[in-house]
Amino acid sequence: MRPLLDGFASRTATGDGRAELRSPLPFPDAAPVEVHGEESGADRDLHETLLARRSSLQYADAPVRTELVLHLLKGALERDRDGWALDDEAGPLEAFVFALRSEGMPTGVYRVTAREVSFVAPAAALGDPENLGVQREFATAGGIVSMYAGLDRADSWAGSHGYRVCVTRASMALYDFHLRSQSHGLVGTLFGGFIGAAVRNLVHSDAVTRHPVLSATYALPEARG
């Protein structure tokens, strides 16, 4: 463990130093999506959310309003961009929403950044949703959000420290989304068992310029008898 810990103390880049020459592959056929929402629509404030929150692996079968999910997620990424102010140096975060049961918008794959939202692919392109997570119950949620980052850029910026900052940013942004979604009455679970290989080609993930870091389910709560 000592060499590992010593490595995390270093800000020396471990790659080839050519990160600025590489960019995540674009989505030329993606359709722009306009999302609107009001934070005032939340049922609870942060204090009430923290007191009432609960993770869940049992979800209602009802679809979730995808526009709300996209709105909350875009807001979280905007706050990451503005709060850390590291997009130019360490690279921006992006997220993919795998909307499995959707109200108001098509099911399928959505890409979300601090600047824009787009529809990437229909649900049929996903195949079996159970392939998205190590635990099969994740596929019974209304959808899954996976946060992606450019490890290449983060390493070029500050070596292993850049990786730590990158993972911290992704975690904070996803928790931001997770808590705000719970304030709107949704439930879900953060997890690290997302199977990125299941959608590697679909989201153009090469594990260098675009790599999944942390994920979360979202859904309406199961009705209690």
Side-chain angles (χ1 to χ4, degrees):
M1 291 296 293
R2 291 301 297 273
L4 177 63
L5 294 175
D6 290 342
F8 274 125
S10 171
R11 291 174 179 259
T12 302
T14 61
D16 59 11
R18 297 165 60 88
E20 69 279 3
L21 303 179
R22 292 185 286 265
S23 299
L25 288 175
F27 296 87
D29 298 326
V33 174
E34 293 291 334
V35 295
H36 307 280
E38 294 294 335
E39 292 296 332
S40 59
D43 298 325
R44 311 183 185 98
D45 61 19
L46 177 60
H47 180 258
E48 293 170 333
T49 299
L50 291 174
L51 291 178
R53 68 174 180 161
R54 61 187 178 92
S55 291
S56 177
L57 292 177
Q58 295 179 325
Y59 312 112
D61 292 332
V64 176
R65 188 160 62 91
T66 298
E67 185 175 19
L68 172 64
V69 172
L70 299 175
H71 168 70
L72 296 178
L73 189 54
K74 186 173 184 292
L77 291 172
E78 289 172 350
R79 286 183 287 276
D80 168 80
R81 177 197 61 194
D82 298 340
W84 284 89
L86 285 175
D87 280 12
D88 291 338
E89 292 86 357
L93 298 177
E94 60 183 335
F96 288 88
V97 176
F98 304 95
L100 305 177
R101 291 197 302 278
S102 175
E103 176 186 334
M105 301 180 75
T107 56
V109 184
Y110 294 82
R111 177 175 176 260
V112 183
T113 72
R115 295 183 177 182
E116 61 187 5
V117 179
S118 57
F119 182 74
V120 174
L126 280 172
D128 188 348
E130 287 192 358
N131 293 331
L132 296 178
V134 173
Q135 294 174 252
R136 290 183 176 180
E137 56 265 31
F138 294 153
T140 67
I144 295 173
V145 172
S146 190
M147 197 69 64
Y148 280 69
L151 303 187
D152 194 22
R153 287 278 296 278
D155 173 81
S156 180
W157 169 61
S160 297
H161 177 69
Y163 172 78
R164 285 191 298 169
V165 171
C166 178
V167 172
T168 300
R169 288 174 58 194
S171 301
M172 291 177 66
L174 193 60
Y175 264 102
D176 184 339
F177 162 78
H178 178 65
L179 290 174
R180 289 176 190 272
S181 67
Q182 292 205 352
S183 76
H184 285 264
L186 299 178
V187 296
T189 297
L190 274 78
F191 66 97
F194 180 74
I195 303 177
V199 292
R200 180 176 57 226
N201 295 329
L202 191 60
V203 303
H204 304 324
S205 173
D206 58 6
V208 177
T209 63
R210 180 181 285 133
H211 180 71
V213 178
L214 189 65
S215 304
T217 57
Y218 65 83
L220 290 167
E222 185 181 45
R224 294 184 176 182

